Amino acid sequence: ETAGRQTLWVKQLATERVLQFDDLDGGQCPGLAFSPDGSFVYFVRETALNPNGVLYRVPYLGGSPVKVLGGISSAPAISPDGRQLAFIRSTLGTHGEDSVVTAGVDGSGERTLASYRAPGIHFNRITWTPDGKYLVFPLQSHLMLMPAEGGAALPIPGDPRTTIDDVGALPPGRNLVVVGQRKGTLRPQIFAVSLRGGEIQQVTHDLSQYMTVRASADGNALLAVQNLTLSSVQVLAPGSKSEVLTLSAENQAQNGVGGLAWTPAGKIVYGSQSDLRREFREMDSDGANQRLLLGESTPLGF
């Protein structure tokens, strides 16, 4: 996105060649997907006049986009055999519900499998299981598993999350890769989830916030969007623009982002974040004698 205008690009990892293959004509793209054989890219274009989006297909090597279907609110999920696609049709603003829909990759045979009232399906995420038999989507704090031919959706066993931001297939077995936030933590991380018993393996353990994730076709590599925020506490003497004193090292703990203040004794109190909880910390005006005031053994309710 440049100056508010989005374009679509493809990068070949082996050669690092970058190619623009579509201009969205002032629209926005809420999601895209490759066909399993890598020949086509399916992408959604939303405009101010058509906020629910239209799905297009374009050859991987470039060409004219072909319209597939309308009324799509999510990234398209292509079945492993390349014959069907699944997506979310969101009408929360008009009818107060999100619907799980399947169709042929040419847009034919559209079927609505289920609809859910607000708050609906989080971030309109949906994926196929690697065997192509089920659809998976986040509903409130649980991942739901639904037969691809239709039927009741059941929660996947395992601990509920505070949020589930993204979900994708993790080949070759019956596993998923998920971006979510466990209860008692502050940042979404990447997890591998087993469909057989709901076992959860945490993949990342850092102070970043992850947003989306996809697995390679063989399941040996992950591609993720990482939101990294670095912060530090600095002191500037009035009228002296060049004399900036950095009191805390630049890191991901969001030092001072949640607030900071001088004490009457001339010390600095500031907010910080560890992996599990928010903290209050204190240091001298020159950055010395940093210490924890609250948070390590006392959960904070904010």
Side-chain angles (χ1 to χ4, degrees):
E1 181 173 323
T2 304
R5 189 176 182 90
Q6 284 192 356
T7 50
L8 299 182
W9 299 74
V10 62
K11 178 177 182 178
Q12 295 176 323
L13 297 181
T15 64
E16 296 194 359
R17 181 189 179 199
V18 179
L19 173 69
Q20 179 181 334
F21 66 86
D22 193 72
D23 187 321
L24 293 169
D25 277 337
Q28 302 286 312
C29 178
L32 48 78
F34 273 97
S35 61
D37 64 4
S39 298
F40 294 94
V41 176
Y42 292 79
F43 68 92
V44 180
R45 179 189 292 154
E46 293 180 346
T47 65
L49 297 178
N50 196 352
N52 244 341
V54 175
L55 179 66
Y56 294 88
R57 181 182 66 205
V58 63
Y60 159 67
L61 295 177
S64 299
V66 176
K67 179 180 177 181
V68 178
L69 54 79
I72 178 172
S73 309
S74 68
I78 312 298
S79 62
D81 63 9
R83 296 179 179 180
Q84 289 184 286
L85 60 91
F87 60 93
I88 305 301
R89 177 168 290 152
S90 180
T91 57
L92 287 177
T94 56
H95 297 83
E97 63 183 20
D98 286 339
S99 297
V100 177
V101 185
T102 60
V105 290
D106 60 356
S108 63
E110 186 178 302
R111 296 177 60 205
T112 299
L113 302 186
S115 297
Y116 297 93
R117 304 295 294 177
I121 297 170
H122 194 51
F123 286 163
N124 297 330
R125 304 300 196 193
I126 189 169
T127 191
W128 295 79
T129 56
D131 59 11
K133 295 181 179 180
Y134 296 90
L135 298 170
V136 180
F137 50 92
L139 194 64
Q140 297 181 355
S141 59
H142 287 279
L143 284 171
M144 307 299 292
L145 186 69
M146 171 186 286
E149 296 302 316
L154 299 175
I156 296 174
D159 297 333
R161 288 83 166 169
T162 303
T163 63
I164 300 173
D165 297 334
D166 197 21
V167 58
L170 183 60
R174 295 191 63 197
N175 294 322
L176 304 170
V177 60
V178 176
V179 172
Q181 184 175 331
R182 273 179 155 166
K183 288 186 176 180
T185 63
L186 299 175
R187 297 170 177 84
Q189 296 289 299
I190 298 175
F191 301 87
V193 178
S194 170
L195 291 177
R196 299 189 183 279
E199 295 88 358
I200 301 174
Q201 176 186 352
Q202 187 163 341
V203 177
T204 57
H205 301 77
D206 56 54
L207 298 180
S208 302
Q209 297 187 48
Y210 292 89
M211 302 171 64
T212 58
V213 65
R214 288 293 180 269
S216 58
D218 58 10
N220 290 328
L222 299 178
L223 184 70
V225 176
Q226 178 191 49
N227 188 354
L228 181 66
T229 301
L230 300 177
S231 63
S232 63
V233 178
Q234 298 179 329
V235 171
L236 174 64
S240 178
K241 296 182 180 180
S242 61
E243 297 181 8
V244 177
L245 178 63
T246 299
L247 305 183
S248 68
E250 190 175 61
N251 56 39
Q252 298 181 63
Q254 299 193 36
N255 291 334
V257 174
L260 75 169
W262 293 98
T263 69
K267 295 181 179 292
I268 298 172
V269 176
Y270 60 96
S272 184
Q273 290 189 10
S274 67
D275 184 35
L276 296 178
R277 65 181 72 245
R278 295 174 174 87
E279 300 172 346
F280 283 126
R281 307 188 72 87
E282 181 188 74
M283 61 183 166
D284 295 344
S285 59
D286 60 358
N289 299 317
Q290 297 188 25
R291 69 187 185 97
L292 178 69
L293 294 178
L294 186 66
E296 187 171 56
S297 60
T298 305
L300 302 180
F302 67 94

